[in-house]
Amino acid sequence: MLPEMTKSEREVMRLLWNSSEPLSCTEIINASPDKHWKDSYIHHIVNDLIKKGYIKIVAFEQVSRVYTRKFAPTMDWGTFVLHQVFTPEQLADRDYMFEIWRKLIMAVEDVHIINEIERIIKDYKRRIEHNF
């Protein structure tokens, strides 16, 4: 299981997951109008997220005469959720995962969503077959 995140860390992660590019601390602050933490606390939040393995430094950018770090998530939101819900042992158990997938698919009653799931599976299957 992944380490727990504080409310502030979740806010920062939500911004990073929703961003199409890495963000600096200043960009995170500017994108967080509803934050409940002080601007000066962002460095502590970011360093804790690095220690926990949720984000990484991906670039340095010069702003005026100072270099600032740019951060990106180490995993996408879906992978994060997957690891919050399932243990590594459960993810490795084929029978368990078949049952979970069956339950998830059976819970969907929208044909458009089922069609999209089929498309995703077909695309992924083609990609796997192409790599072998």
Side-chain angles (χ1 to χ4, degrees), residues 45-61:
I45 296 169
V46 164
N47 288 331
D48 282 350
L49 287 169
I50 291 170
K51 287 177 192 170
K52 291 178 178 181
Y54 287 113
I55 64 173
K56 60 185 173 185
I57 301 167
V58 295
F60 290 91
E61 182 178 86

Side-chain angles (χ1 to χ4, degrees), residues 14 27 37 47 53 56 58 60 73 75 80 93 96 99 104 109 112 115 119 124:
R14 182 182 48 79
E27 291 168 328
W37 35 271
N47 288 331
K56 60 185 173 185
V58 295
F60 290 91
M75 68 189 78
F80 167 74
D93 183 335
Y96 182 82
E99 183 62 18
L104 287 170
E109 295 183 359
H112 293 52
N115 289 337
R119 186 194 64 73
Y124 186 64

Side-chain angles (χ1 to χ4, degrees), residues 5-87:
M5 273 193 263
T6 65
K7 182 178 180 184
S8 299
E9 290 169 346
R10 284 191 305 274
E11 288 178 33
V12 170
M13 288 306 300
R14 182 182 48 79
L15 289 170
L16 290 169
W17 280 321
N18 289 328
S19 177
S20 59
E21 57 189 47
L23 300 176
S24 68
C25 286
T26 302
E27 291 168 328
I28 292 169
I29 290 167
N30 292 339
S32 308
D34 299 329
K35 68 185 181 316
H36 67 278
W37 35 271
K38 293 182 181 180
D39 291 357
S40 60
Y41 193 61
I42 187 63
H43 296 287
H44 179 73
I45 296 169
V46 164
N47 288 331
D48 282 350
L49 287 169
I50 291 170
K51 287 177 192 170
K52 291 178 178 181
Y54 287 113
I55 64 173
K56 60 185 173 185
I57 301 167
V58 295
F60 290 91
E61 182 178 86
Q62 187 171 3
V63 178
S64 194
R65 296 187 309 176
V66 181
Y67 281 90
T68 184
R69 302 176 296 174
K70 293 277 208 159
F71 307 97
T74 57
M75 68 189 78
D76 61 35
W77 180 80
T79 302
F80 167 74
V81 169
L82 190 68
H83 287 282
Q84 291 295 301
V85 175
F86 302 109
T87 65

